[in-house]
Amino acid sequence: MSVAVVDGASPTLLRTISNDITLEFALEEEHDLLRKLTYWNKRLAFAGYLRSHSDEIEAVIAFHLGLTDSGSCRLAPMGAWVHGSFNMCVPAYVKGWERCAEKRVMIRFPLPYKVGEEEVPGNAEEKLRCEAATYAWIQDNCPQIPIVRLLGFSFADDQCNTADAGSDHASRILNSAYYHDSRLRHQPNSINDDKDCRAQMAAITGMRAVLPHLIQRDTRQGPFSLSLTDLHQSNIYVDKDWHITRIIDLEWACSLPIQMQTPPYWLTSLKVDELNGENLVEYNKVLEEFMEAFEGEEMLHLQQGLYGGQDTRPRTSIMRDVWESGAAFYFYALESTTGLLFLWGRNIKPIYSKVSYLDDEANKVLAAYWSGDMEDTMVAKLQDRETYLEQLQKLFEAKAESPAT
């Protein structure tokens, strides 16, 4: 099908949570805009739902704070509520709380439409359990880490689950690669055309193939470390002297092989796909400063006996090996929802071959090993894209024909 954008006409705009978008922008977006365009109304509905249950929420807060006076807790006005990427954060003001001088607390609710609750019921609770467990573990085992004080958490029922802590390093990484398989199969606009589809399939196949060359054999069975996978500038609070005062947003923490604790790619405030050329030269300078500071802190920990069990090899030594071998970009690619193909072509494939990752003939050969249903999947994905574009255009046409509000 063809989708037309009329030049010269005032563009029709549809609202997402972050901004208003045009059809022209939507057609170029790699993420599923049909899904994102539902978020604004779902956000309003969810906020309204929470507001209608203010009394229950205030009662839950009072219970966790040990307050008995029914009027001791009041939610802040909705204008003060904070809509994050995955949570609705609701401030509450309290009085008569003797345990602490603070007069305000924050209660967070997972956004069901952002964490997959509609498709897989239980996702929101799993996220909440992970976050609560991470707070508890850090408070018990690493009290020197400045995290937000967790006062309580609640679920829809009293059931408890435990997670399997042991696994093989390669198995965990392959599971991450399967996520990209799932995105390719199920996101309606995951491909642009047959050439792009083969390139993505070839990249995923290549990622599986080179895995044994990039992981360190001596870390395959451990150690595994609690890793804050969403640690970046926005989640690190500092004072005027740049001392870290709080680390927030722990809900995506998980136990990962030590080799996957890669250097933070955001040290120079650039995206990972921008680490090239002069940007990479500048990044390496800042990275060296980071590593020297890290080594100093780690030496203190080793001297104080804070590393135990299998955790005797310096983290900085492993991190340097990961960076110098190119494995860091392998792990960055696994963690990126849309950047795997680009990072595979620019940073990973050149380690093994000089053939361009956009070479369609080479990709045809490699893509054939992606799955036994590779050809059928490609045909289905091309149809998915046609349907997606039709639905997207209908949304904009409906908005253009509706009366102005």
Side-chain angles (χ1 to χ4, degrees), residues 184-374:
L184 184 60
R185 287 182 182 276
H186 300 297
Q187 183 176 318
N189 63 326
S190 60
I191 69 167
N192 296 323
D193 49 36
D194 55 348
K195 185 174 181 178
D196 178 54
C197 185
R198 282 192 289 268
Q200 292 193 51
M201 290 175 170
I204 295 171
T205 304
M207 291 282 286
R208 295 177 189 151
V210 303
L211 171 61
H213 303 285
L214 292 175
I215 62 172
Q216 299 170 359
R217 290 183 178 274
D218 59 345
T219 65
R220 288 192 59 165
Q221 301 298 329
F224 301 102
S225 295
L226 181 68
S227 303
L228 306 182
T229 61
D230 195 30
L231 187 63
H232 53 77
Q233 303 99 310
S234 299
N235 288 338
I236 303 174
Y237 283 51
V238 298
D239 61 21
K240 61 182 179 62
D241 296 316
W242 295 97
H243 297 135
I244 296 176
T245 60
R246 288 289 184 273
I247 295 175
I248 65 170
D249 280 2
L250 309 183
E251 66 259 49
W252 306 119
C254 59
S255 177
L256 291 177
I258 191 67
Q259 194 182 358
M260 291 186 71
Q261 290 193 343
T262 53
Y265 65 80
W266 42 262
L267 289 176
T268 53
S269 299
L270 295 177
K271 297 178 180 179
V272 65
D273 58 5
E274 296 175 310
L275 295 182
N276 197 29
E278 294 183 2
N279 288 342
L280 185 57
V281 173
E282 178 61 25
Y283 175 83
N284 279 323
K285 294 178 182 177
V286 178
L287 176 60
E288 188 56 36
E289 293 181 31
F290 169 82
M291 294 299 292
E292 289 176 0
F294 191 175
E295 285 170 340
E297 290 294 319
E298 189 166 41
M299 185 60 66
L300 291 176
H301 277 65
L302 289 170
Q303 291 171 351
Q304 295 170 11
L306 297 178
Y307 282 2
Q310 302 179 70
D311 299 344
T312 55
R313 183 179 174 188
R315 304 289 196 276
T316 46
S317 172
I318 297 174
M319 192 173 286
R320 284 187 185 278
D321 289 346
V322 168
W323 181 252
E324 292 169 2
S325 69
F329 281 97
Y330 183 94
F331 297 128
Y332 296 150
L334 284 182
E335 294 166 0
S336 174
T337 55
T338 57
L340 183 143
L341 176 59
F342 180 80
L343 294 177
W344 162 256
R346 190 191 69 184
N347 298 99
I348 305 166
K349 190 172 184 295
I351 299 174
Y352 305 94
S353 172
K354 301 304 179 184
V355 177
S356 170
Y357 75 105
L358 295 177
D359 185 313
D360 195 40
E361 291 304 314
N363 286 336
K364 285 181 180 178
V365 175
L366 198 54
Y369 296 93
W370 175 75
S371 175
D373 64 346
M374 172 263 176

Side-chain angles (χ1 to χ4, degrees), residues 70-86:
S70 60
S72 60
C73 178
R74 285 289 178 266
L75 298 187
M78 290 186 69
W81 296 13
V82 179
H83 185 280
S85 297
F86 298 99

